[in-house]
Amino acid sequence: MNRNQDVVLKPLITEFDLKVRVGNLVREIADDFNGDKLIVIGLLKGSFMFLADMVRLFYVHNIPLLIDFIVASSYGAGTESSGEVNMTRDINTDIRSKWVLLVDDILDTGRTLNLVSRQLLKRKPAVLKTCVLLDKPDRRVIPFQADYVGFTIPDKFVVGYGLDYDSHYRELPYLSVVSFKNRNSES
Ligand code: PRP
C-alpha cells in the first residue's frame, strides 16, 4: 500500500459462521483424540484468537490440555510472503510420545507448517495433527495438507480473527478481504 491508497475491507466470514465452524472442528478433533492429554501448540501471532476459541471448547469436551506457542513469521510489511520463515520462539513443553495439535490461522504457501511440523516430528510425538482455520490451496508452493481445515478460501488477502495486514485488524471478530482504493480516483 502507498500513502495515496485507502484500505477497503469486505466481509468474508461472519462471527456467527466462525463460531459454528470452530465448534464443529473441535468436535471432530475431540472425536479423533485418543491420548491422555492433548498438547495444543499455537503458531503466533496469527493463531491467537482461533486457538483461544478452540481451547475453551476442548474444555467443554473434557479434553485435558497443555498449551504452548511457537513464534514464526514469514511476512514483512506487505501482502506478499518473504519466502523465508523465521522461528523466534520455540515451545518448552516435552512432546515426546504425546498427542500434539499444531494450530495456525492460515495455510498459504505451506512453508511455515512444513518447517514447523518437521521440527516437531524430530521430537517424536505419538501423533502430530495440524489444524488451520483457513486454507488457500491455490497459493501452495510446498505440498502440505492440514489434517483439519476450517474453511478453504480463494487467493484473496484476508484479515481479522487474528490475521493482520501490516500488523492491523487482528482484533476483528470476523474475517474480511482487503483491497485498496486510490484516494484520488472516485468510483
Ligand atoms: C502467516 C500465518 C501463517 C503463515 C502462513 O504468518 O499466520 O503462520 O503466514 O503462510 P505460509 O503457508 O506461506 O507459510 P505471518 O508470517 O504473517 O506471521 P503472523 O502469524 O505473526 O501474522
Side-chain angles (χ1 to χ4, degrees):
M1 192 182 89
N2 65 43
R3 249 184 289 165
N4 296 318
Q5 287 182 315
D6 285 325
V7 174
V8 179
L9 299 184
K10 187 174 162 211
L12 178 70
I13 300 174
T14 65
E15 200 173 349
F16 177 80
D17 288 346
L18 281 167
K19 193 173 176 176
V20 170
R21 186 67 190 116
V22 173
N24 288 335
L25 265 182
V26 168
R27 189 173 310 118
E28 211 183 309
I29 297 166
D31 285 348
D32 293 345
F33 174 68
N34 190 22
D36 59 339
K37 194 182 292 169
L38 182 63
I39 300 185
V40 180
I41 301 176
L43 267 159
L44 293 176
K45 299 173 189 168
S47 71
F48 79 95
M49 202 178 282
F50 179 38
L51 183 133
D53 283 346
M54 287 184 89
V55 295
R56 280 179 283 204
L57 293 170
F58 280 127
Y59 172 77
V60 174
H61 286 271
N62 278 317
I63 305 282
L65 284 188
L66 288 180
I67 302 168
D68 208 336
F69 295 98
I70 286 172
V71 181
S73 178
S74 61
Y75 281 77
T79 57
E80 278 303 310
S81 168
S82 67
E84 193 183 315
V85 180
N86 295 310
M87 243 177 91
T88 53
R89 184 196 188 274
D90 199 352
I91 50 168
N92 49 33
T93 307
D94 183 8
I95 61 167
R96 193 178 190 86
S97 307
K98 301 289 184 198
W99 274 67
V100 176
L101 181 70
L102 178 59
V103 177
D104 207 354
D105 54 341
I106 187 162
L107 175 53
D108 190 356
T109 66
R111 289 189 180 103
T112 306
L113 276 178
N114 176 61
L115 179 116
V116 174
S117 303
R118 281 193 290 119
Q119 299 286 346
L120 293 178
L121 283 171
K122 287 183 192 161
R123 300 171 200 177
K124 309 259 182 262
V127 175
L128 174 66
K129 299 279 190 187
T130 52
C131 174
V132 294
L133 177 71
L134 304 173
D135 185 5
K136 275 188 193 171
D138 295 348
R139 294 264 309 163
R140 208 74 89 249
V141 172
I142 295 181
F144 193 94
Q145 178 76 52
D147 297 295
Y148 305 97
V149 173
F151 299 91
T152 299
I153 60 167
D155 182 13
K156 305 274 186 200
F157 200 88
V158 173
V159 295
Y161 202 63
L163 290 92
D164 73 310
Y165 165 67
D166 203 7
S167 298
H168 293 91
Y169 309 114
R170 292 192 197 271
E171 72 279 18
L172 298 179
Y174 52 87
L175 285 159
S176 283
V177 172
V178 176
S179 60
F180 303 99
K181 190 176 151 203
N182 285 333
R183 270 196 197 135
N184 299 330
S185 72
E186 283 306 313
S187 60

